[in-house]
Amino acid sequence: MPTPNEAEKQHTGPEEADRPPSMSSHDVAPRAAPSRNPCCLCWCCCCSCSWNQERRRTWQASRESKLQPLSSCAACAPPSPEEVQSWAQSFDKLMHSPAGRSVFRAFLRTEYSEENMLFWLACEELKTEANQHVVDEKARLIYEDYVSILSPKEVSLDSRVREGINRKMQEPSAHTFDDAQLQIYTLMHRDSYPRFLSSPTYRALLLPQPPQSSEA
């Protein structure tokens, strides 16, 4: 005669027999290992993953030296009256003059739009690079400094240009920011340049300079 325990086992249906044993509160099913965050493979600075933070810390130490604008040694000497007058002839002449760029940049600083000139200069510097490794690094620095929506120096670009930059940043080149540079150049030409020509900064340069006294 079967015992009570054996009888209970005999009455267990096939569904119950095939049912996996229930887990206790201590038998927690192991979670699947999370896949690698795709953010860690991106180049932009909009994420906070550890890889991106480490990359930014590494670049931060050399940021200033790597994004120095074009040489402006010629701007150290006062421009001639003829050169100053030529700046009013066209915006191109102003931007092709090292002294003109220096004076115009100082004016933009008073209007809180100096980042436009800094971005344009950084793009000009990028175009002179032939080493692809340097191009990659500088392109990403330019993006982080002037294109990223998180940057305090973000320049004003329309959505079409931004989307184009995002595509090109997958494989940066010396001309990744050409469209953006042209848009900022046009913005400075149409918006800031007319105010610069009528500003006290420019008008003071047009005044005759007193002759320098020569020592006997």
Side-chain angles (χ1 to χ4, degrees):
M1 183 174 181
T3 63
N5 291 338
E6 292 175 345
E8 182 179 353
K9 291 181 180 179
Q10 290 176 357
H11 288 287
T12 301
E15 295 82 6
E16 294 180 349
D18 296 336
R19 184 182 302 165
S22 60
M23 293 184 297
S24 66
S25 59
H26 299 288
D27 299 328
V28 180
R31 295 183 180 179
S35 59
R36 185 180 181 184
N37 190 344
C39 177
C40 295
L41 302 178
C42 71
W43 41 259
C44 68
C45 67
C46 60
C47 57
S48 58
C49 61
S50 59
W51 179 88
N52 208 30
Q53 290 177 344
E54 179 63 26
R55 176 175 63 85
R56 286 179 61 80
R57 283 194 295 267
T58 302
W59 285 352
Q60 186 67 33
S62 57
R63 176 182 298 275
E64 294 300 328
S65 61
K66 290 178 179 176
L67 282 183
Q68 286 294 325
L70 297 180
S71 175
S72 58
C73 293
C76 297
S80 65
E82 293 76 14
E83 183 178 5
V84 173
Q85 292 174 2
S86 71
W87 299 344
Q89 296 175 7
S90 72
F91 186 58
D92 289 342
K93 289 188 176 182
L94 171 67
M95 293 294 285
H96 277 85
S97 165
R101 290 196 301 267
S102 179
V103 174
F104 187 54
R105 175 179 170 180
F107 169 76
L108 292 177
R109 190 179 301 121
T110 65
E111 293 201 332
Y112 304 99
S113 58
E114 184 185 11
E115 66 275 3
N116 290 334
M117 175 64 80
L118 295 175
F119 172 70
W120 186 88
L121 291 171
C123 292
E124 286 294 292
E125 181 184 353
L126 179 64
K127 292 177 183 179
T128 66
E129 294 294 347
N131 184 300
Q132 186 59 44
H133 176 73
V134 177
V135 168
D136 291 347
E137 188 170 355
K138 287 191 174 182
R140 284 164 172 79
L141 289 173
I142 292 173
Y143 185 95
E144 293 179 356
D145 273 352
Y146 303 110
V147 181
S148 169
I149 59 175
L150 302 180
S151 173
K153 296 185 292 185
E154 177 194 5
V155 296
S156 179
L157 300 172
D158 62 36
S159 59
R160 178 188 63 83
V161 172
R162 285 184 177 276
E163 291 173 0
I165 292 176
N166 290 337
R167 289 193 301 268
K168 294 175 183 177
M169 282 297 293
Q170 302 299 329
E171 295 182 2
S173 73
H175 298 280
T176 293
F177 301 99
D178 281 2
D179 290 342
Q181 186 186 23
L182 177 60
Q183 189 168 97
I184 295 303
Y185 186 91
T186 303
L187 175 64
M188 292 189 295
H189 183 192
R190 295 179 177 178
D191 186 55
S192 303
Y193 176 61
R195 291 198 299 272
F196 168 74
L197 295 180
S198 59
S199 69
T201 300
Y202 179 67
R203 292 183 179 276
L205 293 174
L206 293 174
L207 298 176
Q209 299 298 322
Q212 297 180 353
S213 59
S214 59
E215 297 182 358

